[in-house]
Amino acid sequence: MRVVMFGYQTWGHRTLKALLESEHDVVMVVTHPKSEHAYEKIWSDSVADLAEEHGVPVAIRNRPDDEELFDLLKAADPDIIVANNWRTWIPPRVYSLPRHGTLNVHDSLLPKYAGFSPLIWALINGEREVGVTAHLMDEVLDAGDIVDQRAVTVEPTDTATDLFHKTVDLIAPVTIGALARIAAGETEFTKQDRSQASFFHKRAEEDIRIDWGWPAEVLERLVRAQSAPYPSAFTFHKGKRLEILSAVVSEGRYGGTPGRVFYREGDGVVIVAGADARTGRNHGLAVTRVRTEDGRELPATEYFTSMGGYLTARP
């Protein structure tokens, strides 16, 4: 089939690479300009550079809604558009232009975790599986019929970085598998169960601020979700920002006020956690490694030279 690819960052790059290595003919690529947004500078392999290396025409747009681009798309005469990590709304006249419509590739197990940063949100929420879905685009974001979907297991110590590497390797088989079904003439695919749908917003600074009223189990997943190269989860100690680089749920149960720097346990320092921590039934978060405001990384047992005091959400 003749394919136009819409994509951005490493997800789009992997999709384009798979298409270029397939039997299909990539006739045009549309991608976003480079961004200074913290999350968009991560996993930022250039779709434009890869296309140009292979002699594929490239259009760079923030939004695909101008007449010039629409004329270019019509002239490219695609059988299908394939999109992955396109960050803005694609209007109906664009996604319905090709004979087979538009196939969107999304890094979650739809209908759950539509929208943005699905791997991070899924890890924080304790999901046991994550994956990649290829679905046909319609008027509702990430809601069209599923053509191919594959999953991987979330292991107990996986970070968001681990899950990225697991799922990015699914992009090629999911994309090419879905295109094979469409090229073979199949038209009946799996309807999404909209009662199971969830939609998540972009991650921002407020989303990585630690709330010590959360259970330790959730905070431990938040720390793993904000693994390098993502911005680290942070708190404040004595008015200064303190990033939590690694932590585990404590073995013991600790009662008191959330945020209290309480007890050395193993290689960590336990911080009281959970809205009902006063009951003494909660595990705490055993922080094992931190980064100070001036950029020093050190074991928590070296940073906390004495017990007592509090970690807080704000200075």
Side-chain angles (χ1 to χ4, degrees), residues 275-301:
D276 58 347
R278 67 186 184 282
T279 65
R281 294 194 294 268
N282 289 5
H283 294 279
L285 186 71
V287 175
T288 55
R289 193 164 185 82
V290 300
R291 182 188 292 122
T292 62
E293 199 168 73
D294 61 4
R296 291 184 303 130
E297 291 187 20
L298 65 165
T301 51

Side-chain angles (χ1 to χ4, degrees), residues 210-224 233-235 243-254 258-265 267-274 277 282-290 300 304 311:
I210 292 175
D211 180 345
W212 294 103
W214 288 10
E217 293 83 358
V218 179
L219 293 177
E220 185 269 343
R221 294 197 297 267
L222 173 64
V223 171
R224 283 192 283 126
F234 70 95
T235 185
E243 295 181 351
I244 307 301
L245 303 183
S246 62
V248 296
V249 176
S250 70
E251 294 182 6
R253 297 176 187 271
Y254 299 88
R260 175 77 175 191
V261 182
F262 191 16
Y263 190 77
R264 291 183 183 232
E265 182 187 276
D267 294 330
V269 173
V270 176
I271 313 300
V272 177
N282 289 5
H283 294 279
L285 186 71
V287 175
T288 55
R289 193 164 185 82
V290 300
F304 293 104
L311 299 183

Side-chain angles (χ1 to χ4, degrees), residues 6-26:
F6 278 63
Y8 187 52
Q9 296 179 281
T10 301
W11 295 272
H13 187 278
R14 285 292 189 97
T15 306
L16 178 56
K17 183 174 184 291
L19 291 169
L20 291 168
E21 293 174 352
S22 75
E23 63 183 351
H24 305 290
D25 183 15
V26 182

Side-chain angles (χ1 to χ4, degrees), residues 136 145-148 181-182 185-191:
L136 293 173
D145 291 359
I146 294 171
V147 184
D148 200 335
R181 293 187 67 187
I182 293 168
E186 292 188 50
T187 57
E188 296 297 321
F189 304 111
T190 304
K191 299 288 183 184

Side-chain angles (χ1 to χ4, degrees), residues 129-161:
E129 286 187 325
V130 293
V132 172
T133 302
H135 70 94
L136 293 173
M137 188 174 287
D138 62 17
E139 67 276 5
V140 180
L141 186 63
D142 294 336
D145 291 359
I146 294 171
V147 184
D148 200 335
Q149 183 177 79
R150 306 188 192 195
V152 290
T153 300
V154 179
E155 300 296 341
T157 59
D158 275 345
T159 65
T161 307

